[in-house]
Amino acid sequence: MIVAGARPNFMKIAPIVAELEKMQVKNTLVHTGQHYDQAMSDSFFEELNIKLPDFNLNIGSDTHARQTAKIMEAFEPIVTEFNPSFLVVVGDVNSTLAAALTAVKVGVKVAHVEAGLRSFDKTMPEEINRIVVDHISDILFAPSQDGVVNLKNEGLLNKTELVGNVMVDTLTQHLNSAIKRPIVSELGVDRYGLLTLHRPSNVDDKEVLKDLIEAIIEISKTLQIVFPCHPRTKDKIKEFNLPKTIKVIDPVSYFDSIALQSAAKVVLTDSGGMQEECTILGVPCLTLRDNTERPITVSEGTNFIVGNDKNKILSTFNQVINKEFKASVPYLWDGQASKRIVQSLVEKME
Ligand code: UD1
């Protein structure tokens, strides 16, 4: 059984579900409904050709406790009845935590894909989800060596397997189709930077958001900015008078996001996945956070951690904007991670 719930889960489950089907492993797909808009969910299933979920729990948005609790309550009878050999959960969203916690409590073994990532910042809800899920899971599929080290430090090495990054499986499989998407020409932009912002720590605090927007406005004086805006952020930016040089658009599909990232001169983001995608695409990424759970994108990739300080953002922008970057491929980010994961699960079922 495999569970997904929120936007960053969908590109991670796609290659795993495809590999399960290819290997003729009977599988049940459960969508929690944490994300539900066409742009936040359905478009990913359509583009990535993910089979329709066998169950949709239709949970929707709520506070952390209520969202997690509702998923657990709705998921318990399903996981109990199906009693799968394994529950596979991916990433670090509330759906990941809720499903993993429910399954271990009814005696179902849990495999966590993207295990071991740590920002060491417990103010991030995702960090709490990562720590808890890793500690209750039976198999920890780590995407990179830094994840293995973190898991070792937490006494979890005996459950850990380094398998590579499933996000990269999806990216390499779909890159050629994605870059053919006409979104860049349709937006009428040529040279541009891509901005995304959705972390509560950036958008829920008015002062922080104000500083960030000021830095972006400054950058947009020399480089057009395209800003696909997450629903969480939409309301919050209404009170800012954004210049025309910042083009705010609705959230984009996976293919459009890859097309926009590939052709961008720079990406400014607080997303985790985009830090990885930029590394593979060779596009400089300014991460608008004080830390990252994906340090390999800094040490081996194109990522710069700039936080939300205006001066730091502007000076790093000036450093990277006219520099050439090369795509890099960290160890095992080779498009084969889902194969390794399914192979490992199948061996354990035999
Ligand atoms: C969630 C994840 C975060 C991930 C992000 C990607 C957790 C704790 N957070 O944050 O790790 O990076 O998804 O998007 O799981 N909304 C809609 N339509 C939707 C979904 C949400 O309009 O389809 C709006 C709702 O107003 C909701 C808000 O967005 O209140 C936030 O959604 P929620 O799922 O709570 O968290 P995200 O900020 O999306």
mmCIF file of all heavy atoms in Angstrom, residues 12-40:
data_model
loop_
_atom_site.group_PDB
_atom_site.id
_atom_site.type_symbol
_atom_site.label_atom_id
_atom_site.label_comp_id
_atom_site.label_asym_id
_atom_site.label_seq_id
_atom_site.Cartn_x
_atom_site.Cartn_y
_atom_site.Cartn_z
ATOM 1 N N LYS A 12 6.918 11.972 -6.143
ATOM 2 C CA LYS A 12 7.729 10.926 -5.488
ATOM 3 C C LYS A 12 7.067 9.557 -5.599
ATOM 4 O O LYS A 12 7.753 8.539 -5.699
ATOM 5 C CB LYS A 12 7.962 11.290 -4.012
ATOM 6 C CG LYS A 12 8.832 12.531 -3.842
ATOM 7 C CD LYS A 12 8.918 13.013 -2.410
ATOM 8 C CE LYS A 12 9.453 14.444 -2.388
ATOM 9 N NZ LYS A 12 9.252 15.130 -1.128
ATOM 10 N N ILE A 13 5.730 9.510 -5.544
ATOM 11 C CA ILE A 13 5.091 8.183 -5.654
ATOM 12 C C ILE A 13 5.026 7.701 -7.097
ATOM 13 O O ILE A 13 4.994 6.498 -7.343
ATOM 14 C CB ILE A 13 3.661 8.133 -5.045
ATOM 15 C CG1 ILE A 13 2.689 9.053 -5.800
ATOM 16 C CG2 ILE A 13 3.682 8.401 -3.548
ATOM 17 C CD1 ILE A 13 1.246 8.626 -5.689
ATOM 18 N N ALA A 14 5.027 8.646 -8.063
ATOM 19 C CA ALA A 14 4.803 8.243 -9.467
ATOM 20 C C ALA A 14 5.739 7.125 -9.927
ATOM 21 O O ALA A 14 5.276 6.089 -10.422
ATOM 22 C CB ALA A 14 4.911 9.466 -10.386
ATOM 23 N N PRO A 15 7.064 7.260 -9.750
ATOM 24 C CA PRO A 15 7.935 6.196 -10.262
ATOM 25 C C PRO A 15 7.851 4.922 -9.427
ATOM 26 O O PRO A 15 8.096 3.828 -9.954
ATOM 27 C CB PRO A 15 9.345 6.816 -10.169
ATOM 28 C CG PRO A 15 9.252 7.837 -9.099
ATOM 29 C CD PRO A 15 7.837 8.373 -9.144
ATOM 30 N N ILE A 16 7.474 5.041 -8.159
ATOM 31 C CA ILE A 16 7.363 3.835 -7.314
ATOM 32 C C ILE A 16 6.131 3.027 -7.738
ATOM 33 O O ILE A 16 6.194 1.808 -7.907
ATOM 34 C CB ILE A 16 7.280 4.211 -5.811
ATOM 35 C CG1 ILE A 16 8.494 5.044 -5.406
ATOM 36 C CG2 ILE A 16 7.189 2.956 -4.948
ATOM 37 C CD1 ILE A 16 8.420 5.619 -3.988
ATOM 38 N N VAL A 17 5.012 3.723 -7.937
ATOM 39 C CA VAL A 17 3.799 3.021 -8.376
ATOM 40 C C VAL A 17 4.049 2.376 -9.740
ATOM 41 O O VAL A 17 3.689 1.216 -9.975
ATOM 42 C CB VAL A 17 2.577 3.978 -8.436
ATOM 43 C CG1 VAL A 17 1.365 3.276 -9.016
ATOM 44 C CG2 VAL A 17 2.259 4.532 -7.053
ATOM 45 N N ALA A 18 4.718 3.117 -10.633
ATOM 46 C CA ALA A 18 4.992 2.565 -11.977
ATOM 47 C C ALA A 18 5.856 1.306 -11.870
ATOM 48 O O ALA A 18 5.622 0.318 -12.570
ATOM 49 C CB ALA A 18 5.692 3.622 -12.830
ATOM 50 N N GLU A 19 6.837 1.332 -10.991
ATOM 51 C CA GLU A 19 7.728 0.181 -10.828
ATOM 52 C C GLU A 19 6.977 -0.997 -10.186
ATOM 53 O O GLU A 19 7.180 -2.154 -10.577
ATOM 54 C CB GLU A 19 8.936 0.606 -9.972
ATOM 55 C CG GLU A 19 10.066 -0.381 -9.904
ATOM 56 C CD GLU A 19 10.747 -0.680 -11.241
ATOM 57 O OE1 GLU A 19 10.714 0.174 -12.155
ATOM 58 O OE2 GLU A 19 11.296 -1.795 -11.356
ATOM 59 N N LEU A 20 6.103 -0.718 -9.250
ATOM 60 C CA LEU A 20 5.303 -1.789 -8.632
ATOM 61 C C LEU A 20 4.451 -2.473 -9.696
ATOM 62 O O LEU A 20 4.347 -3.694 -9.746
ATOM 63 C CB LEU A 20 4.396 -1.219 -7.527
ATOM 64 C CG LEU A 20 5.077 -0.784 -6.229
ATOM 65 C CD1 LEU A 20 4.111 0.021 -5.355
ATOM 66 C CD2 LEU A 20 5.611 -1.981 -5.439
ATOM 67 N N GLU A 21 3.856 -1.645 -10.563
ATOM 68 C CA GLU A 21 3.014 -2.195 -11.637
ATOM 69 C C GLU A 21 3.864 -3.041 -12.572
ATOM 70 O O GLU A 21 3.487 -4.144 -12.957
ATOM 71 C CB GLU A 21 2.355 -1.059 -12.433
ATOM 72 C CG GLU A 21 1.384 -0.212 -11.622
ATOM 73 C CD GLU A 21 0.016 -0.868 -11.459
ATOM 74 O OE1 GLU A 21 -0.469 -1.467 -12.428
ATOM 75 O OE2 GLU A 21 -0.549 -0.780 -10.344
ATOM 76 N N LYS A 22 5.036 -2.495 -12.929
ATOM 77 C CA LYS A 22 5.933 -3.201 -13.849
ATOM 78 C C LYS A 22 6.351 -4.562 -13.275
ATOM 79 O O LYS A 22 6.423 -5.554 -13.988
ATOM 80 C CB LYS A 22 7.169 -2.317 -14.093
ATOM 81 C CG LYS A 22 7.978 -2.726 -15.301
ATOM 82 C CD LYS A 22 9.068 -1.705 -15.566
ATOM 83 C CE LYS A 22 10.381 -2.411 -15.810
ATOM 84 N NZ LYS A 22 11.532 -1.524 -15.640
ATOM 85 N N MET A 23 6.611 -4.582 -11.990
ATOM 86 C CA MET A 23 7.050 -5.820 -11.333
ATOM 87 C C MET A 23 5.862 -6.689 -10.906
ATOM 88 O O MET A 23 6.024 -7.695 -10.228
ATOM 89 C CB MET A 23 7.895 -5.484 -10.085
ATOM 90 C CG MET A 23 9.161 -4.706 -10.358
ATOM 91 S SD MET A 23 10.355 -5.656 -11.295
ATOM 92 C CE MET A 23 10.904 -6.800 -10.051
ATOM 93 N N GLN A 24 4.681 -6.265 -11.318
ATOM 94 C CA GLN A 24 3.434 -6.973 -10.997
ATOM 95 C C GLN A 24 3.256 -7.224 -9.498
ATOM 96 O O GLN A 24 2.914 -8.326 -9.070
ATOM 97 C CB GLN A 24 3.368 -8.277 -11.788
ATOM 98 C CG GLN A 24 3.326 -7.995 -13.280
ATOM 99 C CD GLN A 24 3.261 -9.245 -14.119
ATOM 100 O OE1 GLN A 24 3.812 -10.269 -13.759
ATOM 101 N NE2 GLN A 24 2.576 -9.157 -15.241
ATOM 102 N N VAL A 25 3.594 -6.186 -8.739
ATOM 103 C CA VAL A 25 3.356 -6.262 -7.294
ATOM 104 C C VAL A 25 1.981 -5.656 -7.035
ATOM 105 O O VAL A 25 1.735 -4.502 -7.395
ATOM 106 C CB VAL A 25 4.423 -5.459 -6.505
ATOM 107 C CG1 VAL A 25 4.152 -5.570 -5.005
ATOM 108 C CG2 VAL A 25 5.820 -5.934 -6.841
ATOM 109 N N LYS A 26 1.091 -6.435 -6.448
ATOM 110 C CA LYS A 26 -0.256 -5.943 -6.163
ATOM 111 C C LYS A 26 -0.134 -4.728 -5.235
ATOM 112 O O LYS A 26 0.580 -4.784 -4.239
ATOM 113 C CB LYS A 26 -1.038 -7.057 -5.475
ATOM 114 C CG LYS A 26 -2.513 -6.869 -5.519
ATOM 115 C CD LYS A 26 -3.225 -8.136 -5.086
ATOM 116 C CE LYS A 26 -4.609 -7.735 -4.615
ATOM 117 N NZ LYS A 26 -5.046 -8.443 -3.435
ATOM 118 N N ASN A 27 -0.772 -3.625 -5.614
ATOM 119 C CA ASN A 27 -0.619 -2.433 -4.773
ATOM 120 C C ASN A 27 -1.905 -1.631 -4.687
ATOM 121 O O ASN A 27 -2.718 -1.639 -5.602
ATOM 122 C CB ASN A 27 0.524 -1.557 -5.311
ATOM 123 C CG ASN A 27 0.226 -1.036 -6.694
ATOM 124 O OD1 ASN A 27 -0.380 0.018 -6.857
ATOM 125 N ND2 ASN A 27 0.629 -1.786 -7.723
ATOM 126 N N THR A 28 -2.078 -0.976 -3.575
ATOM 127 C CA THR A 28 -3.251 -0.132 -3.340
ATOM 128 C C THR A 28 -2.754 1.285 -3.087
ATOM 129 O O THR A 28 -1.855 1.485 -2.270
ATOM 130 C CB THR A 28 -4.012 -0.621 -2.075
ATOM 131 O OG1 THR A 28 -4.273 -2.004 -2.233
ATOM 132 C CG2 THR A 28 -5.313 0.117 -1.892
ATOM 133 N N LEU A 29 -3.345 2.231 -3.812
ATOM 134 C CA LEU A 29 -2.924 3.627 -3.672
ATOM 135 C C LEU A 29 -3.987 4.414 -2.907
ATOM 136 O O LEU A 29 -5.163 4.406 -3.279
ATOM 137 C CB LEU A 29 -2.704 4.235 -5.074
ATOM 138 C CG LEU A 29 -2.371 5.725 -5.128
ATOM 139 C CD1 LEU A 29 -1.104 6.054 -4.352
ATOM 140 C CD2 LEU A 29 -2.209 6.181 -6.591
ATOM 141 N N VAL A 30 -3.551 5.080 -1.850
ATOM 142 C CA VAL A 30 -4.474 5.879 -1.035
ATOM 143 C C VAL A 30 -4.066 7.353 -1.106
ATOM 144 O O VAL A 30 -2.920 7.692 -0.839
ATOM 145 C CB VAL A 30 -4.452 5.406 0.446
ATOM 146 C CG1 VAL A 30 -5.402 6.257 1.288
ATOM 147 C CG2 VAL A 30 -4.818 3.931 0.550
ATOM 148 N N HIS A 31 -5.006 8.202 -1.486
ATOM 149 C CA HIS A 31 -4.819 9.663 -1.499
ATOM 150 C C HIS A 31 -5.549 10.187 -0.266
ATOM 151 O O HIS A 31 -6.730 9.918 -0.092
ATOM 152 C CB HIS A 31 -5.441 10.228 -2.781
ATOM 153 C CG HIS A 31 -5.119 11.674 -3.062
ATOM 154 N ND1 HIS A 31 -5.017 12.628 -2.071
ATOM 155 C CD2 HIS A 31 -4.895 12.326 -4.238
ATOM 156 C CE1 HIS A 31 -4.737 13.806 -2.630
ATOM 157 N NE2 HIS A 31 -4.647 13.646 -3.940
ATOM 158 N N THR A 32 -4.839 10.943 0.571
ATOM 159 C CA THR A 32 -5.506 11.426 1.789
ATOM 160 C C THR A 32 -6.414 12.611 1.515
ATOM 161 O O THR A 32 -7.276 12.941 2.326
ATOM 162 C CB THR A 32 -4.476 11.866 2.855
ATOM 163 O OG1 THR A 32 -3.789 13.024 2.350
ATOM 164 C CG2 THR A 32 -3.508 10.744 3.196
ATOM 165 N N GLY A 33 -6.170 13.314 0.387
ATOM 166 C CA GLY A 33 -6.948 14.522 0.108
ATOM 167 C C GLY A 33 -6.428 15.746 0.846
ATOM 168 O O GLY A 33 -7.105 16.771 0.904
ATOM 169 N N GLN A 34 -5.205 15.670 1.408
ATOM 170 C CA GLN A 34 -4.626 16.871 2.063
ATOM 171 C C GLN A 34 -4.599 18.028 1.070
ATOM 172 O O GLN A 34 -4.935 19.153 1.403
ATOM 173 C CB GLN A 34 -3.211 16.577 2.600
ATOM 174 C CG GLN A 34 -2.556 17.797 3.237
ATOM 175 C CD GLN A 34 -1.188 17.509 3.856
ATOM 176 O OE1 GLN A 34 -0.817 16.368 4.095
ATOM 177 N NE2 GLN A 34 -0.431 18.557 4.129
ATOM 178 N N HIS A 35 -4.148 17.749 -0.148
ATOM 179 C CA HIS A 35 -4.293 18.717 -1.239
ATOM 180 C C HIS A 35 -5.365 18.197 -2.185
ATOM 181 O O HIS A 35 -5.482 17.003 -2.403
ATOM 182 C CB HIS A 35 -2.960 18.941 -1.958
ATOM 183 C CG HIS A 35 -2.004 19.772 -1.144
ATOM 184 N ND1 HIS A 35 -0.718 20.044 -1.541
ATOM 185 C CD2 HIS A 35 -2.168 20.423 0.050
ATOM 186 C CE1 HIS A 35 -0.124 20.806 -0.627
ATOM 187 N NE2 HIS A 35 -0.970 21.041 0.346
ATOM 188 N N TYR A 36 -6.147 19.117 -2.758
ATOM 189 C CA TYR A 36 -7.367 18.709 -3.448
ATOM 190 C C TYR A 36 -7.653 19.534 -4.694
ATOM 191 O O TYR A 36 -8.418 19.137 -5.558
ATOM 192 C CB TYR A 36 -8.568 18.805 -2.481
ATOM 193 C CG TYR A 36 -8.475 20.061 -1.624
ATOM 194 C CD1 TYR A 36 -8.936 21.274 -2.084
ATOM 195 C CD2 TYR A 36 -7.844 20.020 -0.379
ATOM 196 C CE1 TYR A 36 -8.804 22.430 -1.325
ATOM 197 C CE2 TYR A 36 -7.700 21.188 0.393
ATOM 198 C CZ TYR A 36 -8.175 22.385 -0.086
ATOM 199 O OH TYR A 36 -8.028 23.529 0.648
ATOM 200 N N ASP A 37 -7.059 20.716 -4.841
ATOM 201 C CA ASP A 37 -7.319 21.533 -6.033
ATOM 202 C C ASP A 37 -6.756 20.825 -7.269
ATOM 203 O O ASP A 37 -5.763 20.102 -7.167
ATOM 204 C CB ASP A 37 -6.610 22.892 -5.925
ATOM 205 C CG ASP A 37 -7.311 23.827 -4.951
ATOM 206 O OD1 ASP A 37 -8.463 23.539 -4.574
ATOM 207 O OD2 ASP A 37 -6.692 24.843 -4.558
ATOM 208 N N GLN A 38 -7.354 21.130 -8.427
ATOM 209 C CA GLN A 38 -6.823 20.598 -9.700
ATOM 210 C C GLN A 38 -5.327 20.892 -9.804
ATOM 211 O O GLN A 38 -4.519 20.022 -10.093
ATOM 212 C CB GLN A 38 -7.607 21.244 -10.860
ATOM 213 C CG GLN A 38 -6.969 21.190 -12.240
ATOM 214 C CD GLN A 38 -7.021 19.789 -12.864
ATOM 215 O OE1 GLN A 38 -7.825 18.964 -12.463
ATOM 216 N NE2 GLN A 38 -6.136 19.526 -13.832
ATOM 217 N N ALA A 39 -4.942 22.145 -9.505
ATOM 218 C CA ALA A 39 -3.543 22.539 -9.697
ATOM 219 C C ALA A 39 -2.617 21.941 -8.643
ATOM 220 O O ALA A 39 -1.416 21.834 -8.870
ATOM 221 C CB ALA A 39 -3.434 24.065 -9.660
ATOM 222 N N MET A 40 -3.145 21.585 -7.487
ATOM 223 C CA MET A 40 -2.295 21.076 -6.400
ATOM 224 C C MET A 40 -2.262 19.550 -6.377
ATOM 225 O O MET A 40 -1.437 18.966 -5.682
ATOM 226 C CB MET A 40 -2.807 21.581 -5.037
ATOM 227 C CG MET A 40 -2.868 23.079 -4.883
ATOM 228 S SD MET A 40 -1.237 23.830 -4.864
ATOM 229 C CE MET A 40 -0.687 23.383 -3.221
#
